[in-house]
């Protein structure tokens, strides 16, 4: 089945979809995005992603391409047209194009570009990767200072994943001024003596939608949480660790820089949180 995608008001086969070569998303990474997961054909935490999208657009003075109700409609239609039971919906809004390349933003009434596509991922919830747990390396965080805005400037995160792959690992955690910021495409946590530790929200990290939900669910399950800066050495000495993201939910981490955590298998808190998160999210999906 050929994939149907959405581009600026039209539903098209992916081979017929196109965007201008002058689009600022292409030329300047002048664009923001969201990734929303789909379970049982329904959207997980759509509202959280829609609210963050609006915030990213406002921070960059990019015009909102359509109403949030219309966005929901487009998400649902793509999920249906592509028969997605488990997978992801990728959405990108760019500042658009005024038909040339110029560092200066185009006129404020330039139409933004809106692109959405689905990714079919059968078995996303029941993933073998989550049963095994992830091995990570630590690398310097050399990204820009507004990581709270979900821009498409993802070259360094991509390079980080490649560095991890080269080292025989799955992913990388980023370290700045001696402290872990987050993973290449997820938020980072460790657990010591039953307490979950994660970095507090600021401009230094993305305000994960999964993070918010998981911390709420952990608190409801009477788990202890501490939001503070932490070093990679603390994480290496932890009982367990994990990451959160819309694309991998709660992912146990079993090794950091070659040091196995606990017995080197996914820890009980990460496993429990994954179960709770999947369960609650399925119930609240729309
Ligand atoms: N990445 N931190 C970074 C740098 C991210 O790129 C992401 C998400 C997260 C987790 O945010 P959320 O829980 O809202 O997905 C944290 C997405 C999934 C991606 O780029 O594919």
């Amino acid at each position: 089945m050929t994939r149907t995608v959405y581009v600026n008001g039209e539903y098209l086969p992916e081979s017929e979809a196109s965007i201008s070569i002058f689009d600022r998303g292409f030329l300047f990474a002048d664009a923001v995005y969201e990734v929303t997961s789909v379970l049982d054909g329904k959207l997980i935490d759509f509202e959280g992603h829609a609210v963050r999208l609006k915030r990213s657009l406002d921070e960059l003075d990019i015009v909102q391409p359509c109403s949030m109700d219309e966005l929901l409609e487009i998400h649902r239609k793509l999920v249906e047209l592509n028969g997605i039971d488990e997978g992801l919906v990728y959405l990108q809004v760019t500042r658009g194009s005024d038909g040339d390349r110029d560092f200066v933003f185009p006129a404020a009434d330039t139409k933004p570009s809106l692109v959405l596509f689905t990714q079919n991922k059968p078995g996303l919830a029941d993933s073998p990767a989550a049963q095994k747990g992830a091995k990570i390396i630590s690398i310097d965080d050399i990204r820009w200072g507004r990581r709270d805005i979900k821009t498409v400037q993802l070259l360094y995160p991509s390079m980080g994943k490649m560095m991890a792959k080269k080292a025989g690992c799955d992913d990388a955690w980023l370290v700045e001024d001696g402290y872990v910021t987050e993973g290449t495409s997820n938020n980072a946590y460790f657990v010591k003596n039953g307490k979950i530790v994660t970095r507090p929200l600021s401009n230094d990290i993305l305000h994960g939608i999964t993070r918010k939900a998981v911390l709420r669910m952990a608190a409801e399950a009477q788990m202890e949480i501490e939001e503070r800066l932490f070093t990679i050495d603390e994480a290496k000495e932890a009982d367990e660790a994990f990451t959160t993201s819309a694309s991998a939910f709660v992912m146990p981490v079993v090794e950091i820089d070659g040091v196995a955590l606990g017995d080197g298998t996914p820890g009980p808190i990460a496993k429990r949180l994954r179960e709770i998160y999947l369960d609650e999210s399925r119930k609240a999906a729309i």
Side-chain angles (χ1 to χ4, degrees), residues 33 35 52 150 182 184-187 206 208-210 245-247:
Y33 76 109
V35 176
R52 185 174 62 191
K150 199 164 170 59
E182 58 189 334
T184 57
S185 62
N186 42 57
N187 291 115
L206 186 73
I209 302 305
T210 321
S245 68
S247 53

Side-chain angles (χ1 to χ4, degrees), residues 34-69:
E34 282 296 331
V35 176
T36 303
S37 52
V38 177
L39 291 175
D40 311 320
K42 290 184 181 169
L43 300 162
I44 303 300
D45 215 336
F46 174 79
E47 197 190 336
H49 289 282
V51 168
R52 185 174 62 191
L53 173 67
K54 180 166 185 325
R55 179 178 180 277
S56 294
L57 292 169
D58 288 349
E59 289 295 317
L60 296 176
D61 285 328
I62 299 178
V63 179
Q64 209 170 293
C66 61
S67 74
M68 291 302 156
D69 285 348

Side-chain angles (χ1 to χ4, degrees), residues 37 46 55 74 82 96 101 106-107 117 129 131 134 174 198 223 228 234:
S37 52
F46 174 79
R55 179 178 180 277
I74 301 166
N82 292 294
R101 179 177 183 269
F117 57 81
Q131 277 158 31
L174 309 171
T198 194
M223 294 178 185
R228 65 164 172 85
E234 273 184 280

